[in-house]
Amino acid sequence: MKILVPVKRVVDYNIKPRVKADGSGVDTTGVKMSMNPFDEIAVEEAVRLREKGAASEVVVVSVGVQKAQDTLRTAMAMGADRAILVLSEESPEPLAVAKVLRKLVEKEEPGLVILGKQAIDDDMNATGQMLAGLLGWGQGTFASKVEIADGHARVSREIDGGTEEVSLTLPAIITADLRLNEPRYASLPNIMKAKKKPLETIEAAELGVDMKPRLSVVSVAEPPERKAGIKVGSVGELVEKLRNEAKVI
Ligand code: AMP
């Protein structure tokens, strides 16, 4: 079984994003970019499934600018076998990405697609669900455990009240949540080896996908600054402040 893992290049999670002066988005000039952290978890899970013998090949794909090939090389240094870069503008919308992925699924015929549950730049949490809808496949989103057996994926999903177990007939879509695993670091020898692994580049237009944006950004602003908290001396003082200052009781 082949596993397809879509990985997105996003602003590194350690960086405090700066809003552009005109409020049209986040300024990415000169900012460190990395693989979306949930996608690292997705890559790790796919590589572990191959190591366990449940899969034979892990193919990573990114839809974005030329620089996204660095992200694909990182995924291959973690253990993915080969990569596909679909060239488009920076940060395409989830629907466009899902349509590109559908085309690649038709071409590559994977048994499983493991995505991140969300990309930390836009926090859309939509691509995996849209892809499942376009393909008519079952989906196990927010996965914290995955087991493959007898043509099925058994997925534990993180839900508000705890966890839910679902059994998906393969082929299927899974999106990775934080507790699924702890991704490995790419070792230097593996980073060197990854440079020689195959990376195919395709133009989005070649796939016949309409990448036209359907969403427009009205404005992007910094969240209001939070005032520092205080420590109260007693329960009585807390109740007094909740009643008279915060006026919530
Ligand atoms: P989102 O729906 O944008 O929050 O993204 C959810 C997941 O879809 C990500 O964690 C990635 O696995 C995948 N994804 C989103 N955008 C891209 C992209 N441009 N290239 C590759 N994968 C993507």
Side-chain angles (χ1 to χ4, degrees):
M1 178 177 74
K2 199 188 279 184
I3 304 180
L4 193 68
V5 185
V7 294
K8 188 175 187 188
R9 176 177 179 264
V10 297
V11 172
D12 188 272
Y13 73 97
N14 284 307
I15 306 274
K16 186 176 181 296
R18 281 188 320 261
V19 173
K20 284 186 194 161
D22 64 359
S24 63
V26 168
D27 192 359
T28 54
T29 27
V31 170
K32 184 179 179 213
M33 306 291 280
S34 302
M35 192 190 309
N36 180 41
F38 293 108
D39 304 353
E40 287 185 354
I41 298 172
V43 171
E44 176 67 35
E45 195 63 20
V47 171
R48 285 189 193 184
L49 287 171
R50 193 200 55 212
E51 288 168 349
K52 271 194 257 175
S56 52
E57 192 184 25
V58 177
V59 183
V60 283
V61 51
S62 196
V63 188
V65 292
Q66 191 72 46
K67 270 274 177 198
Q69 57 174 275
D70 298 347
T71 313
L72 292 168
R73 292 276 173 216
T74 306
M76 290 193 283
M78 289 174 69
D81 299 288
R82 64 184 169 90
I84 304 171
L85 170 62
V86 180
L87 283 174
S88 80
E89 86 284 13
E90 196 152 19
S91 207
E93 289 175 5
L95 184 59
V97 176
K99 286 179 178 172
V100 165
L101 295 175
R102 171 173 59 177
K103 291 282 177 188
L104 294 180
V105 163
E106 285 163 1
K107 191 166 153 231
E108 296 283 342
E109 300 183 336
L112 200 57
V113 183
I114 310 181
L115 304 93
K117 75 163 176 180
Q118 72 196 64
I120 60 161
D121 48 4
D122 295 336
D123 277 342
M124 291 282 195
N125 176 12
T127 311
Q129 294 86 335
M130 285 179 172
L131 180 61
L134 290 172
L135 291 167
W137 288 7
Q139 55 182 303
T141 50
F142 312 108
S144 57
K145 192 171 170 206
V146 173
E147 278 165 350
I148 307 289
D150 308 323
H152 286 79
R154 209 178 156 75
V155 178
S156 303
R157 307 183 56 231
E158 304 231 354
I159 56 169
D160 283 350
T163 51
E164 180 189 49
E165 305 280 323
V166 291
S167 176
L168 312 168
T169 308
L170 299 178
I173 306 289
I174 289 174
T175 74
D177 211 324
L178 202 60
R179 274 167 281 268
L180 182 58
N181 60 50
E182 213 169 287
R184 69 195 68 186
Y185 285 105
S187 65
L188 193 58
N190 285 342
I191 293 173
M192 300 313 285
K193 262 193 238 159
K195 290 185 199 280
K196 296 208 179 78
K197 290 187 180 178
L199 192 158
E200 181 190 355
T201 303
I202 315 175
E203 291 282 345
E206 273 175 55
L207 296 170
V209 175
D210 169 15
M211 305 291 287
K212 207 170 53 236
R214 281 157 170 82
L215 306 174
S216 57
V217 175
V218 178
S219 78
V220 176
E222 298 265 356
E225 227 167 273
R226 284 176 65 180
K227 281 198 272 171
I230 55 153
K231 268 192 184 167
V232 290
S234 66
V235 173
E237 192 189 342
L238 173 66
V239 171
E240 189 273 323
K241 284 190 181 301
L242 289 174
R243 183 168 294 141
N244 301 319
E245 280 182 27
K247 296 192 175 24
V248 291
I249 55 171

